[in-house]
Structure formats: C-alpha cells, structure tokens
Amino acid sequence: MRAVRDVPRSRAVLIGALAVTALAAVPRAATAAPAHGPGPTPLVRAALAVETTNHAPPAPAWAGARGALRPLAELSARRLRTADLVAAAKWGTGRPIDDPERERQVLAAVARQAGEAGGDPVVTVVVFRDQIAANKLVQRALHRRWRAAPDQAPTERPDLARVRAETNRINGGLVRAVAASEPARTAWLCPVALLHEAARAHRDQALDGPHGVALARALRSVCAPPSPIASAGR
C-alpha cells in the first residue's frame, strides 16, 4: 500500500465520514426493519463498501488504528452476547429491561476504573452509556421475538448475578481498551478503522441482525476527540 503522502487525506477523511454516517444510521434504519432477516446487516455492508474503495488509508496508520480498536470491537460484541442471558433471566419474571440502579452502578464503576487505568472517565462513561443502550436493544429484540414465537423462548432461566459478574469482567477489559486506544480513537481515520473491526467482530461472533444493530449502537461514541476536562489536565 502507498505511503501517507500518496493517499489524498481529504478522500480518506470523506471515507471516514461515510463510515460514521453508516454507524449512526444503522439503529435508525433498524427501527423500520424486521427484527431479523436474511443477508448481511447494514454494518457489514458498509464495511464491505469501504473495503472495496480504491482510496484505502495508508498501511502503517491503518494497521495501527485497527489493532488498537480491535479489542474495543471484540469486547463490545462479547458484551452483547451477555444480553441474551440477561434477557432470558428476566423473561417471564416481570422484571423490566430498564434497570436505572444497575446502570448507575456500572457507570460509577467504569468511571473509577478509567481513572485507575489512566483513561478518561468522561469518555469512558459516554462509551458505556452506548454499551448499556445496545444491551437493552438486544434484550428488547429478544423479548419481542419470544412473544411472537413462544416456542423460541428460553426454557431455563440463567442466574442473573452470575451473568452480571461476567458482564463486569468484560466491562473491565473495555475500560482498559478505551484507555489504551486514545490515539486511535482520536485519529482522523478512526471511523473507517472501527467500521472494519466492528465487521470483523460481527463475523467472528456470528451476530444476527439485532445484535449487529446493537453493535453499531455500542460503538457509536468510540471515535471522538478527548474530553475538554481530560485535555486541560494534561
């Protein structure tokens, strides 16, 4: 692949902007689409479109950004898998999907862990708000599916405490991944690199339509400038 000077920066920035648009548009498009269906999700289609462009980002920066963002995408996909278990644990119990107290606990914990890991607590909380929203997207999609097709509903109820312990473990990895990836997250090619890594995680985890939509939602705020508070303190 050519060096940085041989690749028009404006073209690569445009590709990144299109990637951001694709990530942001997936949840909105999904509201009018079936809960699941054939074919690749919009996330995968967008990544494939970027992959086939003749103006890919330069090799060294591209590889570095993708490597730094890969743990974020992989852990986000794994976290979404726990949403299936949470949905099953709540199914038939009358427990609401929204759990504000649990969400406050998670956000307080990740903010504290971010400071301990040398990361930005403000950015970390923003990312985790998206992670929580994505998890609830999956839960709601599954509950809709099970109401429409009771024969597909779970017959066993997972232990919610054990599921949350696993989620907390993944959260710790995500906090460290956010802290370690700041240069890549604030780089101009972050959106397109993240789109590729999201598509990789989507494929590796064999995510279906609702999970693909949720993965886009989970990663929506990953590519962003550092918070003013953190920048002022450096």
Side-chain angles (χ1 to χ4, degrees):
M1 192 174 292
R2 297 179 180 180
V4 174
R5 63 178 178 274
D6 294 328
V7 178
R9 180 185 173 91
S10 60
R11 178 75 65 167
V13 170
L14 175 59
I15 295 170
L18 291 173
V20 169
T21 301
L23 280 170
V26 170
R28 293 196 298 271
T31 61
H36 54 283
T41 65
L43 181 68
V44 173
R45 290 198 297 270
L48 291 173
V50 173
E51 185 71 49
T52 56
T53 182
N54 292 324
H55 301 280
W62 177 238
R66 288 187 64 175
L69 296 169
R70 186 166 299 155
L72 272 169
E74 290 178 347
L75 288 167
S76 295
R78 286 171 54 191
R79 192 179 193 279
L80 285 175
R81 284 300 189 191
T82 68
D84 296 45
L85 298 174
V86 174
K90 293 180 177 180
W91 177 251
T93 66
R95 297 186 65 167
I97 288 173
D98 290 291
D99 189 341
E101 180 58 31
R102 164 68 177 171
E103 293 173 20
R104 282 192 291 270
Q105 292 172 0
V106 169
L107 294 177
V110 299
R112 183 184 67 254
Q113 292 168 10
E116 295 169 352
D120 182 342
V122 175
V123 170
T124 302
V125 166
V126 170
V127 170
F128 269 87
R129 288 190 188 279
D130 289 339
Q131 296 282 331
I132 291 168
N135 193 289
K136 292 191 289 188
L137 280 177
V138 172
Q139 292 182 54
R140 291 191 178 101
L142 289 172
H143 280 201
R144 286 195 299 270
R145 181 184 300 177
W146 297 338
R147 283 193 295 268
D151 59 307
Q152 297 180 19
T155 57
E156 297 182 0
R157 182 168 293 120
D159 183 337
L160 188 56
R162 295 183 65 179
V163 175
R164 285 178 170 173
E166 172 63 12
T167 303
N168 289 342
R169 189 183 67 80
I170 295 172
N171 288 350
L174 271 169
V175 169
R176 292 187 292 273
V178 171
S181 63
E182 181 179 344
R185 289 188 296 97
T186 57
W188 57 270
L189 52 67
C190 176
V192 67
L194 180 63
L195 194 66
H196 273 274
E197 292 310 314
R200 175 198 289 267
H202 184 287
R203 182 194 64 228
D204 291 350
Q205 292 286 331
L207 301 183
D208 62 6
H211 288 80
V213 168
L215 181 59
R217 181 67 177 85
L219 298 172
R220 191 171 69 174
S221 299
V222 166
C223 295
S227 73
I229 295 176
S231 299
R234 292 177 184 173

